[in-house]
Amino acid sequence: DTEVTQTPKHLVMGMTNKKSLKCEQHMGHRAMYWYKQKAKKPPELMFVYSYEKLSINESVPSRFSPECPNSSLLNLHLHALQPEDSALYLCASSQTPRGPYEQFFGPGTRLTVL
Amino acid sequence: GESVGLHLPTLSVQEGDNSIINCAYSNSASDYFIWYKQESGKGPQFIIDIRSNMDKRQGQRVTVLLNKTVKHLSLQIAATQPGDSAVYFCAEYNQGGKLIFGQGTELSVKP
């Protein structure tokens, strides 16, 4: 299984809502990543988890809260988002964070904040 | 600062022709590069990678060339097909272990 899955595919939420994005991989990878991608732009790194511990936070606002319950799962909890947070949120994984290794990307969650 | 960029934002080619997508990088210490393809509504898909101890690497219909002297990376696609239409990103591993993406080139294939 060489796939990263993400749910939901699409999400529409209001600025007062709380929602979560989910990511899963079964490749035995020990590094997992969240990226944000705006239209016509490259992915921008948000968070890196290394062996289930948060190792990099790219100064992301606290309304985004990542969680890594185990080595296969990665969540991104959303609360009090702003319309400018609307974007494609991509999850990725790699063999280890030390690398360099290829990062495998999921299909993304298209988020719209109203 | 470190950056990875592409020379052209868009590229249009005729079906069957060869495509060349270019990328310039600024960090001479980078030792690993990846080309990703991203189709509309999908996540980036790995195409091919190259390490700095190589000048050229070939895959199926794709070739990546690395010129460390001028810090230039290119992706060649042979016999371009409509299914190759997508945005192509080069990416570079920096010293902090982060993958830094270039701005992307949108490839359009005309039938």
Side-chain angles (χ1 to χ4, degrees):
Chain A
D1 185 358
T2 58
E3 191 180 22
V4 176
T5 59
Q6 290 187 244
T7 56
K9 289 196 68 172
H10 301 275
L11 179 62
V12 179
M13 60 186 291
M15 289 189 284
T16 58
N17 292 156
K18 285 185 181 181
K19 297 287 184 182
S20 296
L21 309 185
K22 297 185 183 301
C23 173
E24 191 166 2
Q25 57 88 14
H26 294 288
M27 295 177 277
H29 289 173
R30 303 311 299 273
M32 296 187 76
Y33 310 81
W34 280 114
Y35 288 83
K36 174 182 178 179
Q37 186 178 27
K38 299 286 258 184
K40 302 290 188 183
K41 294 293 185 181
E44 297 176 354
L45 183 65
M46 300 175 71
F47 303 103
V48 180
Y49 270 84
S50 169
Y51 298 96
E52 295 96 70
K53 294 192 187 317
L54 183 65
S55 61
I56 295 177
N57 177 340
E58 291 287 276
S59 302
V60 179
S62 59
R63 57 185 184 268
F64 295 91
S65 176
E67 178 197 20
C68 190
N70 60 55
S71 60
S72 300
L73 294 174
L74 187 65
N75 299 322
L76 186 62
H77 302 298
L78 313 173
H79 174 55
L81 295 193
Q82 304 296 310
E84 59 264 29
D85 295 322
S86 299
L88 181 68
Y89 288 85
L90 294 162
C91 174
S93 70
S94 66
Q95 194 169 331
T96 74
R98 284 297 169 194
Y101 295 109
E102 173 194 350
Q103 289 186 20
F104 292 80
F105 283 82
T109 293
R110 176 74 59 189
L111 175 67
T112 303
V113 182
L114 301 177
Chain B
E2 298 169 0
S3 66
V4 180
L6 294 171
H7 293 315
L8 292 173
T10 61
L11 176 65
S12 183
V13 300
Q14 204 70 37
E15 181 178 357
D17 288 351
N18 296 334
S19 302
I20 299 176
I21 300 172
N22 295 305
C23 178
Y25 64 95
S26 59
N27 186 354
S28 57
S30 295
D31 62 359
Y32 182 57
F33 304 87
I34 306 175
W35 279 101
Y36 283 96
K37 171 187 180 184
Q38 188 173 24
E39 296 175 271
S40 181
K42 297 185 179 180
Q45 176 188 2
F46 173 89
I47 301 174
I48 193 167
D49 58 0
I50 190 167
R51 296 188 184 270
S52 59
N53 60 353
M54 302 175 70
D55 297 323
K56 179 180 180 178
R57 190 148 189 245
Q58 287 185 287
Q60 188 175 9
R61 284 202 304 120
V62 294
T63 300
V64 56
L65 298 177
L66 177 62
N67 186 331
K68 294 180 286 293
T69 302
V70 295
K71 291 183 286 188
H72 184 269
L73 193 69
S74 69
L75 177 70
Q76 300 178 359
I77 305 174
T80 313
Q81 303 168 0
D84 295 325
S85 294
V87 177
Y88 290 81
F89 292 101
C90 64
E92 164 193 23
Y93 258 97
N94 74 0
Q95 297 301 298
K98 299 177 188 176
L99 196 60
I100 307 297
F101 284 81
Q103 291 304 303
T105 292
E106 185 170 16
L107 176 65
S108 298
V109 182
K110 296 176 288 188

